[in-house]
Amino acid sequence: MARQDIQRTIQEYVPGKQVTLAHIVANPTPDIYEKLGIQTPKNALGILTITPSEASIIAGDIATKSSNVTLGFIDRFSGSVVIVGEVSEVESALRHVVDKLHALLGFDVPEITRT
């Protein structure tokens, strides 16, 4: 039996500069705050996922300087950022983060979603 040359394709994930998720959770239930360990719940959570993950530090800085929000969680290893505040302030902070990362650093950005 003749052996045919087999071509193989190797796919690997190479993250670029991108915000993969920008979402507002309006009026989350108290158990969400409890599970996240957030001590001072407000009316909204803003959730961001960013690559490279170190840019989560920049996002946290932009969010807290641009709006009256606090950081609920930031992880420079996974790129996750959770901000806490009133719905309008969280929305404003997410808009500032997405716009600044896009304009200043050339990130690909998604639409901000909301539940």
Side-chain angles (χ1 to χ4, degrees):
M1 172 153 90
R3 182 169 174 218
Q4 294 181 0
D5 287 331
I6 299 172
Q7 288 187 348
R8 294 185 179 158
T9 302
I10 298 172
Q11 295 180 340
E12 79 182 84
Y13 175 67
V14 180
K17 295 187 305 183
Q18 60 185 343
V19 177
T20 55
L21 175 71
H23 187 81
I24 300 165
V25 179
N27 302 308
T29 59
D31 60 324
I32 292 176
Y33 287 110
E34 182 182 333
K35 296 296 181 187
L36 290 172
I38 294 174
Q39 306 279 323
T40 54
K42 295 286 186 174
N43 289 333
L45 294 172
I47 305 165
L48 295 159
T49 307
I50 303 166
T51 56
S53 58
E54 295 83 3
S56 63
I57 301 164
I58 299 166
D61 181 58
I62 294 167
T64 55
K65 287 179 178 174
S66 67
S67 298
N68 187 24
V69 296
T70 58
L71 288 174
F73 179 77
I74 187 168
D75 186 349
R76 71 177 196 265
F77 300 108
S78 70
S80 298
V81 179
V82 176
I83 59 173
V84 182
E86 300 302 320
V87 176
S88 62
E89 293 293 336
V90 168
E91 185 171 4
S92 175
L94 289 185
R95 174 63 46 217
H96 279 93
V97 168
V98 167
D99 289 349
K100 186 66 87 173
L101 289 178
H102 178 68
L104 184 64
L105 299 172
F107 275 55
D108 291 326
V109 295
E111 292 296 318
I112 296 172
T113 55
R114 181 175 168 168
T115 54

